[in-house]
Amino acid sequence: MGYGDFGVFNQGPARTPTLDALADESVCLTQHYSSSCVCAPARASLLTGRYPHRTGAIDTLEGLGLDRLAIREITLADHLSNAGYVTGMVGKWHLGALDPRYHPNARGFDEFLGFRGGWADYYNWRLDRNGSTETADGRYLTDVFATEAANFIVRHAGNPFFLHVAFNAPHTPLQAPEELVEQYVKAGMNRGVALIYAMNERMDAGVGQILDALDSAGCAENTIVLFTSDNGPALGQAGYIKPQNSSVDSIGQESEQALSMQRFNCNFNGGKGNMYEGGIRIPMIVRWPDSIPCDQSNDTLVHYVDWLPTILDAAGVDPIKGPKIDGASVLSLLQGEPALEQPRRFWQWNRYTPLIESNAAIRDGQWKLVRPQIAEAMHVASEHQQMDADLKYRPELHRHALLGQEPSRSIPDPPPAELYNLVDDPTETTNLASAEPKLAAKLLSELEDWFLEVDAERRSISD
């Protein structure tokens, strides 16, 4: 979900009235970054305050165990549970789909209802509730998650609680109630975009249900609410579309319709899967009526690794001693104090083993250096694509991760790095690498040094 998927930023067909109103009651961050351009690495970073490589969650391929959050990592739920909070998670986990050691209940969450992989069918779903399986009962999955989240609040409003709600909308498969989809089609949207906007609209209603539960429980004023995405919007074609009434066996067949997801994202370059602004610069709105002034916009750079220390700071919780945290609290920034000097931030992602030559970036003040994708580093073997679908609909076929089952590949020489001045050129239209060769070389060296550090920590993981 990108900036352009919010009505408040789109000023067009997207309907997100709850989120638009929430933004008016919140601090809205306009230079907020995920730590990855895809989901599992970003989620690992959000829950640990650490760069994804350090955590072991380097890719989305759960069948190969590349989504696993290393056992040694300490999650935000661990920290808060240790301080007396009731902790719950609803929705998408994707930090260890296979092996009970990586289950959310083993990672600090007292309660869990959701799915442990990267996506789920919105109608033919199969969910995990604290280790037991629940199957589809006719409800749309987004509605299931909203109701479960609201019920968690009702049960625990009398105690300090932490609730992590991870809606899967608008992730594929593109499925939404047809009455919502048709409204967007009639407004002139192609069917793929109409489905996405409909999925978001239904999710927006779910956010409203959660906020209503906070109001009814009388704890809205002293509850910190954060809403964000995990990466920028997917803008190509949906890999496969499973109509809600089709059989499970039809997954991945060529006869299924592929739909375009190309849509407005405030003119940012790129999207999900790459390190341009459209892939990693994502919305974040933060509401805390008791402590944060409302209706603010802030353009200070804030990164996913900053949220764990910020939340612990706001809660007055000392972190459990453990691995190095890369982020820093931005609580004073949210409360209106001037921003301090911003640290450099880094990104890198490709399929399978990380390669610094492909799809990486560094942001230092107004400057951003990007190493573009190498196509050969982004390819996923067909058997691993099929395994990804099998785990959603036929999990009995794959009970264990195929650790180390990475295909061999030949990587060509990388394309030249690109340099952008994001103050003058936030849409990354003018590559200044040839005009500023010394700066480009300096940033490239710093990016490579960072990668050597975090990748060495990744390679030291034994679990």
Side-chain angles (χ1 to χ4, degrees):
M1 187 177 188
Y3 282 95
D5 292 328
F6 289 69
V8 68
F9 300 124
N10 187 295
Q11 299 299 311
R15 292 192 295 266
T16 55
T18 301
L19 291 173
D20 296 350
L22 184 63
D24 289 339
E25 302 169 355
S26 307
V27 177
C28 181
L29 300 177
T30 61
Q31 289 201 76
H32 176 249
Y33 288 87
S34 177
S35 54
S36 181
C37 57
V38 293
C39 47
R43 290 159 187 269
S45 188
L46 180 65
L47 287 178
T48 63
R50 286 160 48 80
Y51 283 113
H53 296 71
R54 298 190 194 277
T55 74
I58 56 172
D59 199 2
T60 65
L61 298 173
E62 66 225 46
L64 283 88
L66 298 179
D67 64 327
R68 289 178 166 181
L69 181 67
I71 301 300
R72 71 185 183 194
E73 296 297 316
I74 302 171
T75 70
L76 180 56
D78 288 320
H79 292 292
L80 292 172
S81 179
N82 186 62
Y85 279 70
V86 179
T87 58
M89 179 174 176
V90 175
K92 172 179 172 176
W93 174 238
H94 207 187
L95 293 176
L98 300 169
D99 191 322
R101 296 177 299 162
Y102 301 92
H103 192 282
N105 291 147
R107 309 313 304 269
F109 289 98
D110 299 319
E111 300 180 19
F112 173 65
L113 175 73
F115 54 92
R116 292 174 58 193
W119 54 269
D121 192 288
Y122 290 81
Y123 292 97
N124 185 27
W125 43 261
R126 184 194 309 246
L127 301 180
D128 179 312
R129 183 186 292 276
N130 301 323
S132 298
T133 301
E134 296 186 5
T135 53
D137 58 12
R139 291 180 294 165
Y140 184 61
L141 185 54
T142 300
D143 300 342
V144 175
F145 290 156
T147 298
E148 184 70 19
N151 289 342
F152 178 93
I153 293 168
V154 171
R155 291 196 306 273
H156 299 296
N159 301 293
F161 68 83
F162 167 54
L163 176 60
H164 179 35
V165 184
F167 287 109
N168 52 322
H171 199 291
T172 53
L174 301 185
Q175 299 169 322
E178 190 61 31
E179 64 272 16
L180 289 181
V181 180
E182 283 303 313
Q183 294 178 31
Y184 289 102
V185 171
K186 290 178 181 178
M189 303 293 100
N190 71 61
R191 186 163 181 82
V193 175
L195 278 158
I196 289 170
Y197 285 166
M199 294 164 76
N200 285 336
E201 183 174 347
R202 193 60 163 250
M203 182 268 297
D204 182 83
V207 173
Q209 187 176 346
I210 294 168
L211 296 178
D212 287 345
L214 290 173
D215 288 333
S216 297
C219 59
E221 295 298 307
N222 195 36
T223 297
I224 306 168
V225 175
L226 304 94
F227 184 92
T228 189
S229 181
D230 53 0
N231 46 247
L235 299 175
Q237 286 193 330
Y240 43 82
I241 308 300
K242 179 179 182 294
Q244 70 179 74
N245 295 322
S246 70
S247 68
V248 168
D249 291 338
S250 69
I251 291 298
Q253 298 300 312
E254 293 181 1
S255 61
E256 293 193 27
Q257 186 179 16
L259 302 178
S260 172
M261 299 184 288
Q262 187 69 39
R263 60 198 190 276
F264 175 71
N265 190 36
C266 298
N267 300 319
F268 288 125
N269 186 24
K272 177 179 180 177
N274 62 56
M275 295 305 178
Y276 296 109
E277 293 292 276
I280 56 176
R281 186 164 167 173
I282 56 173
M284 170 62 89
I285 51 182
V286 185
R287 187 188 79 174
W288 187 14
D290 275 359
S291 190
I292 294 177
C294 68
D295 195 17
Q296 293 186 73
S297 178
N298 193 299
D299 65 356
T300 304
L301 190 158
V302 179
H303 188 278
Y304 250 29
V305 295
D306 297 321
W307 291 113
L308 181 143
T310 299
I311 292 169
L312 296 184
D313 189 9
V317 171
D318 293 327
I320 301 169
K321 185 177 181 180
K324 170 187 176 181
I325 293 175
D326 291 302
S329 173
V330 295
L331 180 60
S332 60
L333 173 73
L334 299 175
Q335 294 173 329
E337 296 183 17
L340 301 176
E341 183 178 353
Q342 294 298 294
R344 293 165 300 169
R345 294 302 185 200
F346 305 88
W347 297 265
Q348 192 283 323
W349 173 75
N350 58 265
R351 310 318 304 244
Y352 305 109
T353 296
L355 301 169
I356 187 56
E357 298 85 359
S358 178
N359 208 29
I362 174 176
R363 172 82 189 264
D364 187 1
Q366 68 195 45
W367 295 101
K368 180 181 175 187
L369 182 118
V370 177
R371 300 197 76 168
Q373 290 183 355
I374 299 173
E376 289 82 354
M378 310 310 294
H379 178 71
V380 177
S382 58
E383 61 268 26
H384 297 152
Q385 292 178 334
Q386 183 59 50
M387 187 177 185
D388 189 55
D390 286 345
L391 283 167
K392 305 335 183 265
Y393 297 104
R394 296 178 287 262
E396 67 280 357
L397 298 180
H398 305 282
R399 298 186 182 277
H400 305 284
L402 301 179
L403 303 178
Q405 300 298 305
E406 183 172 322
S408 61
R409 53 186 173 171
S410 177
I411 304 297
D413 292 337
E418 301 168 2
L419 180 68
Y420 300 98
N421 184 328
L422 293 185
V423 171
D424 298 336
D425 181 24
T427 56
E428 298 170 305
T429 57
T430 305
N431 177 10
L432 298 175
S434 60
E436 299 280 355
K438 291 183 178 179
L439 176 60
K442 174 180 177 290
L443 292 177
L444 180 58
S445 177
E446 292 172 351
L447 176 61
E448 290 172 342
D449 287 346
W450 165 82
F451 181 81
L452 288 174
E453 178 193 344
V454 297
D455 200 53
E457 191 166 352
R458 175 191 66 82
R459 288 185 280 108
S460 73
I461 296 171
S462 59
D463 53 73

